[in-house]
Amino acid sequence: MKPYRDARSKIFLFCGMIAPLILGITVLVVGYITPGYNPISDSVSLMGTPEQPYAWLLSSGYWVYGVLMCFGAYGLNRIFINVPQIKPLSKLLGIHALGTILLVVFPDSTTSFYREMIHNFVSAIAYAPLLAMIYIFRNFTRDNPSFSRLRSFGLLVLIVNIPIPFVHIIGPLSVIGGLLQRVLCACSFVWLRLAFFSAYKKQYSLVSDTGERSQLSPVEATRHMSTGLTDIKVGHILQKNHRY
């Protein structure tokens, strides 16, 4: 990973780091203050139906999250410009962010089947790219031991999210559908926050440096006491007669 192009650019990574936290707090608060809402059995989307008194607050959380994550996607593409694999990741993250914003435009409905189906489709557009991003991230960092824990956590996230489309379809699961949805989605958002945190703190390199090391040529200097001249050998090339 090349040095940061500009220290101020890290603000974009900070946006991506705090976005999941803001959305998580919004979901918890709206679920708590919405009358008659059961966070154990009811989905998150039910809080955003037009008849709910605090649907606007959930929509605001979606908007803020989407905008901040767009900044985060831009930051990844801007800061890690010399990492080719970052482009598909930033694009998927951008689709995820825009899909989240579309949830405001197409809220869930308890009175219209078609609106409910459109909302479910938009939800898939918003969430599937995030899982795809985790999968791609695991692939292109598989040779970098610095990301072993994040890769392992990413694999766990992908596995536990397999049943999420069936949470509210299968009878026994629907009783705790809201809780399962929150837990499964929370795993993905925690992973996303950790990934941005790692990039923001610059704790790891997004590319393995073993390849860069292998390209370095050995340098050997030999000083001749009689003449005061130094022969410098770079790789297999001998550069003679350097005086110091």
Side-chain angles (χ1 to χ4, degrees):
M1 181 178 62
K2 300 295 184 181
Y4 287 115
R5 295 172 59 189
D6 192 326
R8 292 176 298 179
S9 297
K10 292 179 67 177
I11 190 65
F12 296 117
L13 297 183
F14 182 75
C15 289
M17 185 173 63
I18 65 172
L21 182 62
I22 292 176
L23 182 59
I25 293 175
T26 301
V27 170
L28 291 176
V29 170
V30 177
Y32 180 78
I33 64 178
T34 299
Y37 179 80
N38 187 345
I40 303 298
S41 59
D42 296 337
S43 67
V44 173
S45 298
L46 287 179
M47 298 186 297
T49 55
E51 60 269 17
Q52 294 293 354
Y54 300 104
W56 63 270
L57 184 55
L58 182 64
S59 297
S60 299
Y62 286 151
W63 270 106
V64 172
Y65 175 86
V67 171
L68 290 177
M69 200 53 68
C70 282
F71 284 137
Y74 172 75
L76 288 177
N77 200 45
R78 171 184 171 86
I79 296 173
F80 304 106
I81 191 173
N82 294 304
V83 182
Q85 300 92 333
I86 210 67
K87 290 185 177 180
L89 291 181
S90 59
K91 289 179 180 178
L92 287 170
L93 192 59
I95 295 173
H96 164 66
L98 294 176
T100 305
I101 294 176
L102 285 178
L103 292 176
V104 180
V105 183
F106 302 100
D108 199 1
S109 176
T110 56
T111 58
S112 173
F113 174 78
Y114 296 103
R115 291 181 180 177
E116 181 183 359
M117 290 297 100
I118 293 175
H119 173 80
N120 292 339
F121 176 74
V122 174
S123 297
I125 294 178
Y127 196 61
L130 178 57
L131 298 180
M133 176 187 174
I134 298 175
Y135 177 78
I136 294 177
F137 178 87
R138 279 181 43 81
N139 284 341
F140 94 81
T141 61
R142 62 180 179 273
D143 296 327
N144 192 331
S146 299
F147 284 97
S148 59
R149 292 183 179 180
L150 201 56
R151 282 198 305 272
S152 299
F153 185 37
L155 178 61
L156 176 63
V157 170
L158 293 175
I159 293 175
V160 299
N161 272 273
I162 292 176
I164 198 169
F166 313 102
V167 165
H168 291 283
I169 298 177
I170 301 177
L173 294 180
S174 62
V175 179
I176 55 172
L179 178 61
L180 287 176
Q181 182 191 31
R182 284 165 172 77
V183 172
L184 299 182
C185 291
C187 291
S188 301
F189 289 117
V190 168
W191 182 93
L192 185 59
R193 189 171 189 273
L194 289 176
F196 269 104
F197 177 78
S198 298
Y200 179 81
K201 299 296 290 185
K202 201 181 176 183
Q203 293 177 339
Y204 309 121
S205 172
L206 284 179
V207 291
S208 176
D209 58 357
T210 55
E212 295 180 359
R213 290 199 193 103
S214 63
Q215 296 176 0
L216 296 177
S217 300
V219 178
E220 180 180 347
T222 304
R223 185 178 179 89
H224 301 281
M225 300 300 296
S226 60
T227 62
L229 300 178
T230 302
D231 293 341
I232 299 178
K233 185 178 182 181
V234 182
H236 299 289
I237 301 176
L238 180 63
Q239 302 177 1
K240 299 177 69 64
N241 300 333
H242 291 266
R243 183 178 295 276
Y244 296 91

